[in-house]
Amino acid sequence: MSDSKITQIERDTLATMSSTSRLYWAGLAGSVILVAIGGWAWSLALRQGLGVLGLNEPVMWGALITTFVFFIGVSHSGTLVSAILYFTRSPLRAAIGRSAEAMTVITILTAGLYPIIHIGRSWLFFFVLAYPNQRQLWPNFRSPLTWDVFAISSYVTVSGLFLYMGMLPDLALLSRRITGWRRPLYRVLSLGFSGTDAEWTLFEKAYPIFAAVVVPLAVSVHSVVSWDFAMSVMPGWHSAIFAPYFVAGAIFSGIAMAILLLSGLRRGYRLEGHIKPAHFDLMAKLLLAMSLVMTFVYLTEFFMAFFRGNAAEIEVFRWRATGSYAWVFWLVMFCNGVAPLACFWRRVRRSLPALIVISVLVSVGMWFERFLFIVTTLAHSYNPANWGHYIPTWPELLICLGGFGWFLMLFLIFVKVFPSMSVAETMQHEHALSLPATGDEAEVTHA
Amino acid sequence: MPDDLVAVFSDPDAAAAALRQLGAASIHGVRVISPAPYPAVHLTGQPGPWRYLGSIALVGGLTGLAAATALQVVTSRSLNIIVGGKPIVAWPAFGVVMFELTMLFAGIFNFSALVLLSAVARRKVPAAARRLADSERIVVLVPAARLRGGAEATVRAALKHAVEVRS
């Protein structure tokens, strides 16, 4: 592999850090504005109370918890996909692994805001943590909400470390390459990694162990979030299928978000040489497969409800499809079940504009899917006298919108400060491609 | 480093070829510093204390399991309130946090082990040689003090494609 090729790889993989386009500034400015608007709406809730949020009997969980579940779902697939790509030795990983891992950490940080906002007196959020206190009050470990705190805290810590561990070789490289205020930052963050053979051996042995820890943790975190609902006795929630249903939905929405982020990076930083149509093709196939799984789950839910014969359960599912939220139901069916079917066609899978449209539809569909099952169960539960209707208020919607701005802002800052693609892995991958197809050298062992 | 031959390669394949030649000539103790895990880094016999990594992660997982068990049992007994008809010490319910903390601690221990063992391992390579490596430069260190007879000529021949050789 020639010097010029290595220089080219380095230039490409560090493109997001070295150049700043107008599109980048526009995206950053737009996201900061959304964050400011969302922050102002939150301050309204803090100053005037939760009454401004439209949450009331019987719908106590609304748009905020919907957004929480949505972002947890998106977070789910980044690290999971990256770890699976690592184990399968997929060439996709060098191109999309880093962005997917960053997406996980950022979305989980975003998701974590919503329960804190939802509790109203947000400054008392630490009451859910297990810490020694003078009144001997401890969290109830038999509650799924406490499990949630532990699952999400563990997941964000492990995902963050997974992202950081993968970046160590790149940070070491950057500490030599970059000048200015960032140089000491990278030197400290690289933890002294210098690329000796012993360090690479340790790295290559430690990384799969960490990936093996990450995969079950990623599956568990969304299962635990599903148990927030499924461990109750509410119709439409109390179902054994909820954990795999949530995990599948999480992977589905995460892939859609990854397609959107990667297409933005590819277009904005001219990374066509690294993020190729074949990569999008593979992601589109995965999106299609998960869409079919989701359709199967939706049908199974209905089948189970009607076969079981529980009147309350039947009524909730009938109401979902025909009641006042029917438009949400059919929107979800179209976005999650019908639109992705276009990926059966190779031309669609290879067309970035088409994939962007499908991914946007899937993201919208998955947000509304969470909204649908949360709100309809609460609004139409066992007691007809207590049935109600919930419409999010505008401060609620602005807080949700602020979350999307927060997510985008953190991601844009991340790609400016850290490489959005793994430099070491890309160099290794390109080197392996430059070798003859046979021989020991051709074997790709991932960093 | 005063006792080492330091060869700087710009081509990962040339570095790998040199290491193969050195291996064939039974020159031992050769070290490599590389910006990416090219084949060259796999040709020095996997040096470093990596065998401890799995055990350390296991110890971490067991620590997390013990911590989660102690936290839940002790604090639930301390609060001593029955909620939702569940027993004070409800093992099925506690299983979730036990699993989460097992994985969390296994991950943290694994990462910490990587950082600490890497720090130990890199001390065996002179800092001056480590500083020479860059994205376009792979450094091969040959322990010159161990070379006897015609071995030095063999080493020089193996390193002929290096862009720079220092002694």
Side-chain angles (χ1 to χ4, degrees), chain B residues 51-88:
Chain B
R51 285 180 185 81
Y52 301 112
L53 284 169
S55 311
I56 291 171
L58 182 65
V59 168
L62 293 174
T63 307
L65 181 65
T69 308
L71 176 70
Q72 295 183 101
V73 171
V74 172
T75 57
S76 295
R77 281 197 173 147
S78 152
L79 200 58
N80 217 25
I81 297 172
I82 291 177
V83 182
K86 300 271 189 305
I88 299 289

Side-chain angles (χ1 to χ4, degrees), chain A residues 192-270:
Chain A
F193 189 92
S194 54
T196 63
D197 46 1
E199 285 172 281
W200 279 118
T201 305
L202 278 162
F203 186 86
E204 291 183 342
K205 301 289 181 189
Y207 202 79
I209 295 174
F210 210 102
V213 167
V214 161
V215 173
L217 205 57
V219 173
S220 83
V221 74
H222 219 60
S223 302
V224 170
V225 171
S226 82
W227 292 337
D228 288 347
F229 305 96
M231 291 295 173
S232 72
V233 291
M234 300 292 278
W237 287 359
H238 188 60
S239 164
I241 203 174
F242 250 46
Y245 164 33
F246 266 54
V247 172
I251 296 172
F252 187 46
S253 57
I255 293 165
M257 192 62 85
I259 289 174
L260 291 175
L261 292 178
L262 287 168
S263 56
L265 282 180
R266 183 179 191 262
R267 175 88 170 82
Y269 289 97
R270 301 270 161 229

Side-chain angles (χ1 to χ4, degrees), chain B:
Chain B
M1 200 153 82
D3 293 337
D4 293 337
L5 271 179
V6 181
V8 180
F9 290 86
S10 63
D11 181 9
D13 299 327
L19 284 161
R20 280 198 196 85
Q21 280 189 46
L22 292 170
S26 301
I27 308 285
H28 301 294
V30 180
R31 306 299 302 268
V32 178
I33 307 143
S34 169
Y38 293 126
V41 300
H42 304 119
L43 296 171
T44 53
Q46 297 192 327
W50 57 269
R51 285 180 185 81
Y52 301 112
L53 284 169
S55 311
I56 291 171
L58 182 65
V59 168
L62 293 174
T63 307
L65 181 65
T69 308
L71 176 70
Q72 295 183 101
V73 171
V74 172
T75 57
S76 295
R77 281 197 173 147
S78 152
L79 200 58
N80 217 25
I81 297 172
I82 291 177
V83 182
K86 300 271 189 305
I88 299 289
V89 177
W91 290 111
F94 289 0
V96 176
V97 174
M98 286 159 76
F99 172 80
E100 299 296 337
L101 292 196
T102 300
M103 301 317 258
L104 174 68
F105 277 63
I108 291 173
F109 271 54
N110 182 49
F111 180 79
S112 307
L114 170 70
V115 172
L116 295 174
L117 296 177
S118 293
V120 172
R122 86 172 67 94
R123 288 170 68 91
K124 294 180 179 168
V125 177
R130 283 187 265 137
R131 280 195 292 271
L132 285 174
D134 204 344
S135 58
E136 293 151 10
R137 285 183 297 188
I138 298 167
V139 177
V140 174
L141 269 87
V142 185
R146 297 185 200 173
L147 303 178
R148 289 189 180 86
E152 187 159 355
T154 310
V155 170
R156 293 275 178 193
L159 302 179
K160 66 176 183 278
H161 291 297
V163 291
E164 184 187 353
V165 179
R166 298 180 190 180
S167 52

Side-chain angles (χ1 to χ4, degrees), chain A residues 335-357:
Chain A
C335 291
N336 297 349
V338 178
L341 296 180
C343 293
F344 268 117
W345 283 272
R346 184 183 150 90
R347 273 185 68 182
V348 173
R349 294 198 306 269
R350 295 268 169 166
S351 161
L352 207 49
L355 272 187
I356 289 171
V357 170

